[in-house]
Amino acid sequence: MTRILPGVIAMATIVVASNILVQFLILDGLLTWGAFTYPLAFLVTDVMNRVYGTAAARKVVFSGLVVGIVCSLIGSQIMLQGDGFEYPAVALRIAIGSATAFLIAQLLDIAVFNRLREGSWWKAPLGSTLVGSTVDTAIFFSIAFAAVFNGFSATAAEEIIWAQEAVPFLNTGPLVPLWVSLAVADWGVKLSVALLALVPFRMIVGRMQRPVT
């Protein structure tokens, strides 16, 4: 456990930071600052996978899942005021979507990375992160905001109804549910971070695999 402790700490830090920064909107509400920190979770998973293997990477992922659940539980107890009624800072539906997307996407990232690990050094981290990020976005935004899941809970539907309002796509295109624009914008950030993260991935892995003299 000691050898992967840096990975556990890094994953926990990213999860906590993302849960805090998601409260701060930018670009007319299309993104939050959390969109730029959350994709770094894939970088941590890939580094652990490359250096210590799939078992170690899974342990780091599960540690991040636990931290994320704790953050959601805390957020669900914080009540905000709006439009004459109280609502939790983190809706149950959003918490479920977040945990489900994180676990499935991260485990898929590990599996894809393992399939590509024998190729060129960049193929495994890039390919696994692109697949994981796409799945993460699709699962989270669908569970958290799509109207198809409104029937499961009337309260949950009321808490996220704002995300189903029809607005111009990415603030300029045809009318679509707001959550669709949010998902596409978030996905674009994830893809950008996946490319940029290749540089620190190469540097960190090289340093960790350097023989001790």
Side-chain angles (χ1 to χ4, degrees), residues 3 5 15 18 21 25 34 48 68 76 82 88 92 109 119 123 141 151 155 164 176 201:
R3 65 176 185 171
L5 185 57
V15 171
S18 298
L21 293 174
L25 304 177
M48 291 293 103
S76 67
L92 177 61
D109 176 276
K123 288 184 178 180
F141 282 93
T155 301
Q164 296 172 6
V176 297
F201 173 85

Side-chain angles (χ1 to χ4, degrees), residues 19-48:
N19 274 273
I20 295 173
L21 293 174
V22 75
Q23 308 297 324
F24 301 95
L25 304 177
I26 57 175
L27 297 179
D28 293 327
L30 284 178
L31 288 170
T32 72
W33 285 114
F36 296 89
T37 56
Y38 177 77
L40 296 177
F42 291 100
L43 171 62
V44 174
T45 300
D46 290 346
V47 168
M48 291 293 103

Side-chain angles (χ1 to χ4, degrees), residues 66-88:
V66 171
V67 173
I69 291 174
V70 171
C71 288
S72 293
L73 289 175
I74 294 174
S76 67
Q77 301 305 308
I78 300 175
M79 302 305 294
L80 304 176
Q81 296 284 342
D83 296 328
F85 63 92
E86 286 189 338
Y87 59 93

Side-chain angles (χ1 to χ4, degrees), residues 47 51-52 200-212:
V47 168
V51 177
Y52 299 121
F201 173 85
R202 182 70 163 172
M203 294 174 62
I204 296 171
V205 168
R207 186 175 184 83
M208 293 179 69
Q209 291 182 331
R210 187 178 304 162
V212 178

